[in-house]
């Protein structure tokens, strides 16, 4: 059969948007370890989690058996406003690199929030509304998750309280205004509106905050206000489940042209886009049907997979959240302030952590100047201004394509382009001015935060 000419963009039809999410845990022999109650160290039950999370989302969180879960029609309809997302053949980049490799990227930046996070935000807002709640609380770091959730909450007419890491609140006033335009209230964290915030401020006066600290505040507000629950934009199993739309669409598009990827690459902060992108491919790998080289890319300044410990840890600084077993740098780890590229969370999805631990995927870490070099190269030839987070995946996709140039291999590379970088221009400015530096934590620094890991014998 003659090879079909592959277009620059492989679009799907509206009826090819997934109608079910795929739950990769169903195909895992070693299931991700359960969340533990930090007091009793017993697995968190449905009832334990109810004060914090929405009922239906808890069911999804705890379900490691059901492979396919129906996407409610209301969510499908919302997806239709900005999906399917294109799978792009990076012909221009290939030519520029003079590589025999074939490069594809799945572009998730085609919505106002500018990232994949809307895929889960809309699902979480839907279940909160369906449960009759008044609103939800959350944290946001760089602001993409807060923006996505604000959009989702305004669509379903829910109140949305966002705790935004103080340094971002101050450096990214435009993000804040987008969220407020969609009706969210935005509070810089740590703040004096919560007990945990006041405690942190007392202990570290002048601190510019961290994700872990903002999570603690958002959880406190949710559990102390009638009709509110807390929602999280990454790390959790339910978020990976919702993000499986990325991978399912990618697979459908590749299958249309009979394309089989050799390498699948994604950036990894808490693991949600990567988990979503790889899920159907990982399913095939777990069932022994196919073999893919699956690569997580993380910043050298926050290297949870490549230098972290696989252990139970807190997801937040205030130590109010359940314990998750994951690759972690310790909940006290705060990446250097010089680190401009996002992906700052100290831990990693427990699903991906288990898969990595069992050898189903590998991880590499990259330094931020090399990431911005790749971002610049990509922007100049493919046109899209990538988010710094996404550019970690671009870096490694380019590196793999250059390896193919040396060996002459015609590998097919697929990577996740998770979003756009319009709100990251302070970081781009640093890079353009030549004042961006690389920071790699020392073993001693990491050891200090490992020493604080909770002692759990599981
Ligand atoms: C949040 C974000 C990420 C990282 O989060 P994951 O949960 O690891 O996917 C990556 N890219 C963009 C654009 C983001 O907004």
């Amino acid at each position: 059969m003659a090879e079909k000419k592959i277009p620059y963009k492989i679009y799907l039809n509206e009826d090819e948007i997934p109608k079910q999410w795929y739950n990769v845990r169903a195909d895992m022999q070693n299931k991700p370890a359960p969340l533990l109650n930090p007091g009793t160290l017993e697995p968190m039950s449905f009832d334990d989690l109810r004060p914090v999370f929405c009922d239906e989302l808890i069911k999804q969180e705890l379900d490691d058996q059901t492979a396919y879960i129906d996407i409610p029609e209301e969510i499908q309809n919302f997806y239709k406003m900005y999906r399917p997302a294109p799978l792009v053949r990076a012909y221009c980049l290939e030519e520029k690199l003079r590589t025999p490799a074939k490069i594809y990227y799945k572009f998730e930046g085609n919505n106002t929030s500018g990232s994949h996070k809307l895929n889960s935000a809309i699902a979480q807002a839907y279940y909160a509304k369906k449960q009759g709640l008044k609103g939800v609380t959350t944290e946001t770091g760089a602001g993409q998750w807060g923006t996505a959730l604000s959009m989702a909450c305004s669509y379903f007419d829910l109140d949305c309280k966002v705790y935004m890491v103080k340094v971002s609140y101050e450096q990214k006033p435009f993000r804040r205004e987008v969220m407020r335009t969609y009706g969210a209230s935005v509070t810089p964290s740590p703040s004096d509106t919560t007990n945990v915030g006041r405690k942190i401020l007392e202990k570290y006066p002048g601190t510019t905050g961290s994700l872990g600290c903002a999570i603690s505040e958002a959880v406190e507000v949710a559990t102390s206000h009638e009709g509110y629950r807390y929602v999280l934009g990454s790390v959790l199993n339910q978020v990976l489940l919702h993000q499986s739309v990325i991978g399912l669409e990618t697979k459908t598009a590749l299958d249309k042209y009979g394309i089989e990827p050799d390498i699948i690459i994604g950036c990894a902060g808490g693991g949600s886009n990567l988990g979503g992108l790889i899920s159907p491919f990982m399913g095939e790998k777990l069932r022994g049907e196919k073999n893919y080289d699956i690569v997580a890319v993380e910043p050298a300044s926050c290297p949870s997979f490549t230098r972290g410990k696989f252990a139970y840890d807190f997801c937040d600084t205030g130590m109010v959240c359940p314990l998750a077993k994951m690759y972690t740098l310790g909940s006290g780890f705060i990446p250097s302030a010089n680190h401009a590229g996002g992906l700052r969370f100290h831990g990693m999805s427990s699903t991906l952590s288990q898969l990595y631990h069992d050898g189903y995927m590998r991880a590499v870490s990259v330094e931020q100047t090399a990431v911005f070099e790749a971002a610049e190269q990509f922007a100049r030839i493919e046109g899209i201004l990538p988010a710094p987070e996404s550019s970690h995946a671009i870096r490694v996709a380019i590196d793999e394509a250059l390896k193919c140039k040396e060996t002459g291999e015609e590998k097919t590379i697929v990577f996740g382009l998770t979003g756009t970088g319009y709100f990251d221009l302070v970081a781009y400015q640093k890079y353009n001015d030549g004042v961006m530096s690389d920071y790699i934590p020392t073993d001693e620094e990491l050891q200090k935060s490992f020493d604080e890991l909770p002692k759990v014998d599981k």
Side-chain angles (χ1 to χ4, degrees):
M1 193 178 77
E3 211 173 293
K4 272 193 251 179
K5 166 78 180 150
I6 293 158
Y8 275 70
K9 285 197 179 123
I10 307 180
Y11 279 111
L12 301 179
N13 300 319
E14 199 170 274
D15 62 5
E16 290 170 306
I17 301 174
K19 295 177 182 62
Q20 293 182 311
W21 291 301
Y22 168 61
N23 180 9
V24 72
R25 288 168 289 162
D27 282 308
M28 291 169 68
Q29 290 224 315
N30 296 335
K31 306 289 184 193
L35 295 169
L36 298 186
N37 179 315
T40 63
L41 300 186
E42 289 303 315
M44 296 288 284
S45 67
F46 180 77
D47 286 333
D48 292 335
L49 291 164
R50 283 193 81 188
V52 181
F53 296 113
C54 305
D55 291 355
E56 194 60 33
L57 292 166
I58 301 171
K59 284 186 201 151
Q60 294 178 357
E61 191 63 29
L62 299 177
D63 184 346
D64 57 15
Q65 301 296 328
T66 313
Y68 288 92
I69 293 176
D70 288 341
I71 304 176
E73 204 176 319
E74 291 88 339
I75 301 174
Q76 286 188 39
N77 290 341
F78 189 88
Y79 281 164
K80 284 176 195 163
M81 287 198 278
Y82 69 100
R83 310 198 67 82
L87 182 71
V88 185
R89 172 79 182 265
Y91 280 118
C92 303
L93 179 64
E94 289 170 19
E95 198 169 305
K96 184 86 180 175
L97 298 173
R98 298 178 182 283
T99 173
K102 301 178 178 74
I103 308 173
Y104 295 85
Y105 58 88
K106 179 72 168 167
F107 182 48
E108 289 290 327
N110 265 337
N111 68 75
T112 296
S113 79
S115 81
H116 64 286
K117 293 203 171 69
L118 195 54
N119 300 329
S120 182
I122 195 63
Q124 298 196 41
Y126 167 79
Y127 291 117
K129 185 72 185 180
K130 206 175 139 210
Q131 194 176 323
L133 298 176
K134 290 183 203 148
V136 293
T137 71
T138 199
E139 77 297 333
T140 197
Q144 290 99 321
W145 168 245
T147 309
L149 188 69
S150 309
M151 291 172 70
C153 285
S154 67
Y155 183 76
F156 285 122
D157 203 15
L158 278 170
D159 184 36
C160 179
K161 297 186 195 301
V162 179
Y163 281 80
M164 185 171 188
V165 178
K166 192 181 270 167
V167 60
S168 300
Y169 182 90
E170 284 161 3
Q171 284 181 0
K172 298 191 170 187
F174 296 147
R175 266 278 176 219
R176 191 172 80 210
E177 292 315 315
V178 178
M179 288 185 256
R180 292 178 59 205
T181 303
Y182 282 97
S185 67
V186 188
T187 309
S189 165
S191 74
D192 60 8
T193 64
T194 62
N195 289 328
V196 66
R198 284 187 291 270
K199 243 190 243 164
I200 291 170
L201 281 173
E202 202 174 296
K203 196 166 164 199
Y204 308 100
T207 176
T208 53
S210 70
L211 264 184
C213 163
I215 295 176
S216 303
E217 290 205 86
V219 171
E220 182 181 319
V221 173
T223 51
S224 59
H225 285 69
E226 168 75 30
Y228 281 78
R229 292 292 185 280
Y230 166 71
V231 294
L232 182 60
S234 183
V235 185
L236 296 176
N237 296 324
Q238 55 186 275
V239 185
L240 268 72
L241 175 74
H242 305 147
Q243 295 297 355
S244 67
V245 292
I246 305 173
L248 292 165
E249 280 185 9
T250 302
K251 180 126 182 50
T252 305
L254 292 173
D255 285 350
K256 274 195 170 181
Y257 288 87
I259 305 160
E260 290 222 351
D262 297 295
I263 312 179
I264 305 167
I265 302 167
C267 63
S272 74
N273 87 83
L274 177 68
L277 173 67
I278 67 176
S279 60
F281 304 97
M282 185 59 87
E284 292 180 297
K285 194 166 174 168
L286 288 163
R287 297 188 301 268
E289 298 161 9
K290 291 279 167 59
N291 196 12
Y292 304 104
D293 180 15
I294 296 177
V295 190
V297 189
E298 61 185 14
S301 52
C302 192
S304 14
F305 267 140
T306 50
R307 294 175 69 199
K309 293 247 185 298
F310 189 39
Y312 267 106
D313 194 10
F314 290 96
C315 295
D316 64 321
T317 319
M319 304 182 181
V320 297
C321 289
L323 297 168
K325 189 170 182 189
M326 57 187 175
Y327 278 85
T328 178
L329 298 168
S331 65
F333 180 82
I334 296 181
S336 148
N338 294 332
H339 170 57
L343 311 175
R344 308 174 67 96
F345 190 60
H346 65 273
M348 186 58 68
S349 137
S350 57
T351 299
L352 291 188
S353 292
Q354 188 65 50
L355 290 166
Y356 177 69
H357 190 69
D358 291 341
Y360 286 101
M361 53 189 280
R362 61 188 174 98
V364 289
S365 72
V366 289
E367 292 176 26
Q368 70 173 353
T369 46
V371 167
F372 278 82
E373 260 167 47
E376 179 191 78
Q377 193 173 10
F378 184 83
R380 289 182 182 183
I381 195 74
E382 287 288 325
I384 295 170
L385 181 74
E389 292 90 341
S390 323
S391 305
H392 288 72
I394 300 176
R395 173 74 271 162
V396 172
I398 290 178
D399 290 346
E400 290 292 337
L402 291 175
K403 276 189 216 160
C404 289
K405 188 172 164 179
E406 276 172 32
T407 60
E409 284 173 289
E410 292 183 25
K411 285 189 183 172
T412 296
I413 300 169
V414 173
F415 74 89
L417 188 69
T418 49
T420 47
Y422 301 115
F423 290 101
D424 300 286
L425 293 170
V426 172
Y428 274 98
Q429 181 181 19
K430 271 193 192 162
Y431 174 74
N432 292 332
D433 288 343
V435 297
M436 178 170 273
S437 58
D438 291 318
Y439 179 80
I440 302 178
T442 62
D443 288 341
E444 291 71 42
E445 272 172 81
L446 293 184
Q447 192 54 50
K448 245 196 197 160
S449 68
F450 292 148
D451 289 343
E452 303 290 313
L453 283 172
K455 308 275 173 283
V456 181
D457 211 11
K458 289 191 185 179

